[in-house]
């Protein structure tokens, strides 16, 4: 029954929600969520006199809830101040980020938390839920792996030019 209703009503519901939200993507997601909730309701949903009306009401409620959360989050973000500075896009920085991505995940997490987030080693251990020795080992192995990966990256200087 839900499959037939989906085929018959999905587009119509999206158009209705699009008129309410003004955002096609939001309308599609809200209608999809309404169908998910219909499936979760099981027999209760199947016994409704007008399941399409129920889906429309649920989709509108989903959309309104999401809108309220977005407004609340936007307010929090405005109070938090300007967004953080965009990372450096120098060749060296890009090479470092590419090398970090190639590290095993446990080493990458330890390196990032210690060197980029600036957490002490004992806090890194707490965050990762591992022993202090494990963090120290991951940091040591991660540094060696990064050094090997970055060995080919040379500073961008012109031969023969000297800065005084």
């Amino acid at each position: 029954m839900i499959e037939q209703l989906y085929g018959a009503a999905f587009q119509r519901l999206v158009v209705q929600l699009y008129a309410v939200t003004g955002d096609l993507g939001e309308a599609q997601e809200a209608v999809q969520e309404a169908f998910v909730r219909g499936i979760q309701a099981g027999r209760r949903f199947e016994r409704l006199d007008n399941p399409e009306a129920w889906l429309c009401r649920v989709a509108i409620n989903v959309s309104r809830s999401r809108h309220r959360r977005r407004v609340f989050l936007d307010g929090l973000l405005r109070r938090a101040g300007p967004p953080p500075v965009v990372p450096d896009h120098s060749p060296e920085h890009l090479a470092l980020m590419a090398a970090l991505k190639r590290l095993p995940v446990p080493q990458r997490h330890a390196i990032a938390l210690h060197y980029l987030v600036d957490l002490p080693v004992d806090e890194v251990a707490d965050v990762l839920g591992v022993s202090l020795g494990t963090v120290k080992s991951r940091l040591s192995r991660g540094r060696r792996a990064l050094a090997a990966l970055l060995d080919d990256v040379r500073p961008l200087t012109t031969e023969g030019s000297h800065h005084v």
Side-chain angles (χ1 to χ4, degrees):
M1 179 260 222
I2 195 108
E3 288 179 44
Q4 291 172 342
L5 185 59
Y6 187 87
F10 181 80
Q11 283 301 108
R12 187 170 41 252
L13 289 167
V14 168
V15 169
Q16 292 169 3
L17 260 288
Y18 181 46
V20 171
T21 65
D23 181 328
L24 181 59
E26 174 64 28
Q28 291 169 329
E29 288 181 24
V31 171
Q32 288 171 358
E33 179 64 26
F35 272 97
V36 167
R37 291 184 186 184
I39 292 168
Q40 291 170 338
R43 296 262 183 241
R44 264 190 358 235
F45 179 74
E46 291 175 3
R47 289 191 296 259
L48 291 171
D49 290 334
N50 189 346
E52 187 172 339
W54 183 89
L55 288 168
C56 185
R57 186 172 58 252
V58 169
I60 288 171
N61 289 340
V62 164
S63 178
R64 291 175 67 203
S65 293
R66 290 168 56 125
H67 177 73
R68 280 192 301 272
R69 283 192 299 269
R70 267 194 308 277
V71 167
F72 178 74
L73 180 60
D74 287 347
L76 287 177
L77 292 174
R78 274 194 300 281
R79 285 193 294 277
V85 176
V86 176
D88 181 8
H89 290 291
S90 69
E92 292 83 4
H93 178 80
L94 295 175
L96 175 61
M97 292 296 108
L100 279 169
K101 288 178 185 176
R102 293 178 60 194
L103 290 179
V105 172
Q107 290 176 16
R108 181 173 57 231
H109 288 173
I111 293 280
L113 289 171
H114 185 62
Y115 293 106
L116 302 178
V117 179
D118 205 26
L119 291 181
V121 176
D122 59 328
E123 286 186 38
V124 173
D126 288 342
V127 168
L128 296 177
V130 297
S131 72
L132 191 62
T134 298
V135 171
K136 289 179 180 180
S137 173
R138 289 175 182 178
L139 288 171
S140 175
R141 290 180 182 152
R143 283 189 304 265
R144 278 196 307 274
L146 274 177
L149 291 168
L150 294 171
D151 193 37
D152 294 333
V153 177
R154 305 279 186 251
L156 298 176
T157 58
T158 309
E159 250 183 65
S161 68
H162 301 283
H163 294 93
V164 179

